[in-house]
């Protein structure tokens, strides 16, 4: 009876546990009362039969305890796995941009700090900005504007080299972190991205839109904020020079 009540309390949802517990208690009480008023005729049993009966009861009790313990372990492992999965989902949500699924600025800051701490300081930061993006939103609507952001994100991922990451820096700005590369490689990379982006806009709206970028190389001892500022200044130069350019 005790094991059955404990099992109900542990394994059955709280909304139904009380009902099952009441039913179990009612059945047990009914059996006790029935046995009291309708006792079975006493039978003389031998000492050996009493021993086997006690042994059988012990085995049954131990088996019940074992099953309850096993079920508790299974439930604990399931809950632990669910918690791990939930933790991973929460971390993924915290590290990624909702719309584009790229990494967000929060993750970028942590990534760069870790990169620098591990002395992996040979990298470039590329800050990209979609030219006249406000005009895209005003002319074609925010739904198409979101489609542009998502498609551009996929273009960045398509050409992203091994070891690099793509980040939505904010609004229509994106950042690439490119380790162990050269300026020439970056120029080729950005040209491929620019070609795909222009082709996408051309196919969708039969017009031409571009992006501009500022590229800054990390120097030993440089603050992360300084790296951002340097890339932003070079992007500003590209925007002021008729856009659709990459400034190193």
């Amino acid at each position: 009876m005790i094991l059955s009540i404990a099992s109900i309390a542990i394994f059955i949802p709280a909304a139904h546990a009380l009902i099952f517990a009441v039913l179990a208690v009612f059945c047990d009480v009914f059996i006790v009362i029935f046995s009291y008023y309708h006792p079975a005729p006493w039978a003389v049993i031998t000492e050996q039969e009493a021993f086997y009966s006690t042994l059988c009861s012990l085995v049954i009790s131990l088996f019940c305890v074992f099953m309850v313990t096993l079920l508790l372990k299974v439930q604990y492992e399931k809950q632990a796995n669910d918690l791990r999965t939930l933790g991973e989902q929460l971390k993924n949500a915290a590290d990624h941009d909702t719309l584009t699924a790229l990494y967000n600025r929060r993750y970028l800051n942590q990534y760069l700090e870790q990169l620098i701490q591990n002395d992996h300081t040979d990298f470039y930061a590329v800050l990209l900005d979609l030219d006249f993006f406000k005009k895209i939103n005003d002319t074609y609507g925010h739904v198409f504007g979101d489609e542009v952001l998502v498609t551009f994100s996929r273009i960045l991922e398509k050409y992203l080299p091994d070891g690099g990451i793509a980040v939505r820096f904010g609004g229509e700005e994106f950042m690439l972190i490119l380790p162990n590369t050269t300026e020439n490689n970056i120029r080729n990379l950005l040209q491929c991205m620019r070609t795909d982006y222009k082709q996408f806009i051309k196919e969708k709206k039969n017009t031409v839109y571009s992006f501009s970028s500022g590229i800054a190389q990390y120097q030993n001892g440089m603050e992360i904020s300084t790296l951002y500022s340097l890339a932003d200044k070079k992007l500003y130069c590209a925007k002021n020079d008729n856009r659709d350019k990459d400034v190193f």
Side-chain angles (χ1 to χ4, degrees):
M1 177 179 176
I2 294 175
L3 287 173
S4 64
I5 296 298
S7 299
I8 290 171
I10 293 170
F11 301 111
I12 296 180
H16 304 103
L18 182 60
I19 297 174
F20 282 98
V22 170
L23 289 174
V25 170
F26 176 79
C27 290
D28 288 333
V29 170
F30 175 79
I31 292 172
V32 171
I33 293 174
F34 183 84
S35 300
Y36 177 78
Y37 285 104
H38 302 277
W42 288 97
V44 178
I45 60 173
T46 64
E47 184 177 338
Q48 186 177 30
E49 289 173 333
F51 170 76
Y52 286 136
S53 176
T54 303
L55 183 62
C56 182
S57 298
L58 176 63
V59 170
I60 293 173
S61 298
L62 290 176
F63 177 76
C64 291
V65 171
F66 170 77
M67 290 304 298
V68 169
T69 305
L70 181 62
L71 290 173
L72 279 172
K73 181 182 178 182
V74 170
Q75 186 182 47
Y76 170 79
E77 291 177 348
K78 180 179 181 301
Q79 290 176 341
N81 185 61
D82 290 343
L83 285 174
R84 280 194 299 271
T85 301
L86 178 61
E88 290 171 359
Q89 291 173 347
L90 290 174
K91 185 178 185 305
N92 184 70
D95 290 342
H96 289 78
D97 175 63
T98 305
L99 176 64
T100 64
L102 294 180
Y103 288 118
N104 56 25
R105 192 163 176 171
R106 172 186 174 277
Y107 176 84
L108 173 63
N109 291 334
Q110 295 177 347
Y111 176 83
L112 288 177
E113 287 175 2
Q114 191 65 41
L115 203 65
I116 294 169
Q117 286 176 5
N118 294 336
D119 292 329
H120 298 154
T121 55
D122 180 18
F123 66 88
Y124 286 82
V126 182
L127 184 60
L128 309 98
D129 182 86
L130 301 183
D131 296 329
F132 301 110
F133 183 73
K134 184 178 184 301
K135 184 178 178 181
I136 293 177
N137 275 332
D138 293 343
T139 304
Y140 305 110
H142 288 276
V143 172
F144 181 68
D146 287 347
E147 183 181 351
V148 169
L149 293 173
V150 171
T151 301
F152 186 68
S153 299
R154 300 293 80 79
I155 292 172
L156 296 183
E157 291 179 326
K158 176 182 176 182
Y159 292 104
L160 193 66
D162 292 340
I165 65 168
V167 178
R168 187 179 181 190
F169 200 69
E172 67 272 21
E173 287 189 337
F174 299 81
M175 180 168 280
L176 305 177
I177 301 299
L178 306 174
N180 303 318
T181 189
T182 64
E183 290 188 5
N184 190 53
N185 288 339
I186 295 174
R187 285 191 178 91
N188 294 335
L189 182 76
L190 293 173
Q191 188 55 47
C192 290
M193 292 176 176
R194 183 171 279 109
T195 299
D196 279 17
Y197 179 62
K198 288 183 176 181
Q199 182 179 354
F200 163 73
I201 298 293
K202 183 71 174 176
E203 290 175 353
K204 285 289 185 175
K205 301 299 179 182
N206 195 31
T207 187
V208 176
Y209 280 91
S210 60
F211 69 80
S212 304
S213 72
I215 301 93
Q217 185 176 17
Y218 178 81
Q219 303 294 330
N220 285 331
M222 181 183 288
E223 295 289 336
I224 293 175
S225 59
T226 304
L227 179 69
Y228 292 163
S229 179
L230 183 58
D232 187 59
K233 287 178 182 177
K234 294 188 176 184
L235 173 62
Y236 182 80
C237 292
K239 303 285 278 188
N240 281 348
D241 190 18
N242 296 320
R243 297 178 169 83
D244 196 16
K245 288 182 174 60
D246 307 311
V247 174
F248 286 82

